[in-house]
Amino acid sequence: FHIIKVLDYEEWVSMEEILRRVNELFGITYQNERSLYPYLKTLVDAGLLEASMVGGKMKWRKKNLLISIALLEDAVTLAEVPLDHAQ
């Protein structure tokens, strides 16, 4: 949760900056970069973050997600039913 909150959709953020923001906003400190990396890797694998190698250093940002809602299809179907058949 705290990692997602310190990242943005448009800005690529370095490991040092993520560590600084987490410490500043939540008071959570990691021993080093190696202790934070598995969490970032898991979020990348889950599709919540994007990773990029910029200038020889890894940087991360939030990934935009598209969510479709099946209820919209049901609403359209109900709207097509004639009133005399709807109950």
Side-chain angles (χ1 to χ4, degrees):
F1 171 78
H2 59 280
I3 296 171
I4 295 295
K5 287 295 183 185
V6 299
L7 294 175
D8 194 16
Y9 292 102
E10 292 142 14
E11 176 188 14
W12 289 99
V13 182
S14 68
M15 177 75 74
E16 295 84 16
E17 182 64 16
I18 293 171
L19 289 168
R20 187 193 69 73
R21 290 179 184 184
V22 167
N23 187 18
E24 183 178 303
L25 294 174
F26 299 100
I28 298 171
T29 56
Y30 289 89
Q31 291 179 356
N32 53 38
E33 293 179 4
R34 291 180 62 193
S35 59
L36 177 59
Y37 182 78
Y39 297 108
L40 293 170
K41 175 77 169 104
T42 300
L43 292 171
V44 169
D45 291 344
L48 299 175
L49 297 181
E50 292 179 284
S52 177
M53 182 71 78
V54 179
K57 291 194 169 210
M58 290 292 293
K59 294 193 176 191
W60 292 267
R61 70 178 179 185
K62 283 184 185 176
K63 187 173 182 180
N64 289 325
L65 300 175
L66 297 176
I67 301 172
S68 62
I69 300 173
L71 296 176
L72 182 60
E73 294 175 7
D74 295 338
V76 170
T77 304
L78 288 175
E80 294 173 356
V81 175
L83 291 176
D84 59 340
H85 290 90
Q87 303 232 2

